Each structure stands twice: as C-alpha cells, then as structure tokens.
Amino acid sequence: MQKLTIVIPAYNEQEVLKDTVPRLWSIEREVVTQNFLSEDSDILIVDDGSSDNTWSIIESFHKQHSKIRGLRFSRNFGHQAALIAGLTEAIKTTNMTITIDADLQDDPEKIMEMVQAYSAGADIVYGVRTHRETDSWFKRTTAQGYYKLLRLLGVQMVPNHADFRLMSKRAVQTLLTYPERNMFIRGLIPRLGFQTAKVYYKRTPRLAGESKYPLKKMLAFAWDGITSLTIAPVRLILLLGTLAVMLAFGMSVYSIIVKVLGLTVHGWSSLMVSLWFLGGLQMMSLGVIGEYIGKMMTEVKGRPRYTIQTRLD
C-alpha cells in the first residue's frame, strides 16, 4: 500500500491554518479511499519559526488526529528550508509527498490528479498555474520576465510552477543528495530527471491574511535563484571586462591617429588608454576569481539548513 504525506510549510499562518488543515485532511481521506492508498497517509506541517499562534494551532490539530504531525523550527529559516525539512522527515516513512503552501492559492482538489499521474508512472508531478489573474500586473510581468531571464541563462525551469508538486520517494531521496545550503528547489527539481507530468489549475486568492512574499523578499528570492543555479552573472562580468580591454586597444589606435594629426591634448592619450586598460583588466580578474567563488561560496560555509526545536509525531 502506497503512503501519501502532504507537506505544508507555514510561517505566521494562523489566519488560514484553521481552514487549510481540515480541507486538506478531507481531500487526503478521499484520495486514500478512492485510490486504495495506505490509511497511514498523513499531513506534516512545518512551522518556520512563526511568531503568532501557528504552532498552537498545529498542536491542537495533532491532538485531534495523530496523523496530522508537526515540526517547529527554532527560528525563521525560510520557505525553502521548511520544504527541505518536511521532505527529509516525510520520506522516512512515505512513498510519495505533496508540497503545498498553507494559503491554498494552489488548488488542493488537484491532489487526486497528481496521485493518479504518480500511479501511471510519474515520479514528479508539477502543479502549473494556467494564469495569474489574482496577481498584480507588476507581479505577473516581472514573473514572466524572470522565467525568460532564467531560460536565457541556461536554467531549466517549469514556467508558472511554484512549490505545488508531487514527488516519489526516489525523487525526494535524489533531491536530498544535493548538499548545497542556498537551495532554489523549483530550479533543482527539473535537473533530477525521472518521468514527469503536469497538472494544470487556476490559482485563487489567499483564504486570509497577507502574502509572506512582499517585493523585498521576492527580489531576494529571485536573486537567490539566479546565484544558486548559475554563474552566468560572473561570466557576464568577464565578458564586460573583455570588451573593455578590446575597447582599450581601439582607443590606443585612435590615440595614435589623433597624435599623428596633432589634434591631441598633452597627456590625454596615456590617461585614457591606461584607464580603459586597467579597468578592463580588473573586471577580467574579478570575473576569473568569481568563477571559483561562485562555485565554492555556498559550500564552504557548511552551515545547517535549519534547526528543529519540537516534533509532533
């Protein structure tokens, strides 16, 4: 019998958890019944260091249903760390996991289709939004631009997919072999291989509360995605440095011509050539050094991804 675990990262989600957990519990029970999944199928909520009543709500649900479990971080480690912690804990006993945000903007009714795709042989099932009408024009435009930029930089991404997905046991185990601390999960999963499928849905507004990703966090998250998946920005610096050196040579030729024609100002030629050449050389040097730093910086720190304070098993 196949066991399903639904992993929910939660940070200050007291407004929505009281509705989210019963709805997901009901959907999971229905999937268990119709697809003959194990009765041990459960829900795992990861409290990412919330400062409100999120953890007390998780405790109350655990008292009602022992199969609604919880992990509590010692502080806020971030959404990606909460996902990794949930997957690491769940995969010890489950055959498949589904990750979904607590606000239920991703349609939980599609869980049934995800399980069916898994039964048909898919190791990874992506939840893909058909449109982003609930997002502002600015967020929609910047999101589409971001996906295009990542593709331009050579990063494999599934457009309009966030963190609503099903993963088999072996897919999760493979993901967890990636040791880096600065993880951008939605960019790593397409690199795993395995058979994939997609489930399409309409994104809905939050049940309650405010988004936990204001503009500042969105920009930081986007930058993390670029720097953790590619060193293309460093290579761009190297390219700019190379172009600057080429321009310096061009300026040298121009300076010689101006000097021959007697149109130059005393000292101008040597000053301009040295500025362009040294500036280009410095950028090239930074680019070469950055190639190594970009590959090592996230590994040499060796910091733990998260610290678990409390478990509810």
Side-chain angles (χ1 to χ4, degrees), residues 132-146 213-216 218-219:
R132 307 177 67 106
E133 291 180 357
T134 58
D135 295 335
S136 64
W137 175 87
F138 176 78
K139 188 172 182 179
R140 288 197 305 270
T141 304
T142 54
Q144 295 301 327
Y146 181 62
Y213 269 92
L215 179 60
K216 182 179 179 180
M218 285 174 56
L219 292 175

Side-chain angles (χ1 to χ4, degrees), residues 157-189:
M157 288 279 289
V158 178
N160 293 317
H161 164 69
D163 291 303
F164 180 36
R165 72 181 71 86
L166 179 147
M167 298 180 70
S168 68
K169 186 181 185 75
R170 65 175 179 174
V172 174
Q173 289 174 333
T174 304
L175 174 65
L176 296 179
T177 62
Y178 284 64
E180 57 256 43
R181 269 62 183 167
N182 185 21
M183 262 197 168
F184 189 69
I185 297 175
R186 66 185 69 171
L188 282 178
I189 289 179

Side-chain angles (χ1 to χ4, degrees), residues 27 44 108 147 203 238 278:
I27 291 172
L44 176 61
Y147 288 128
R203 188 171 171 85
L238 178 60
L278 290 176

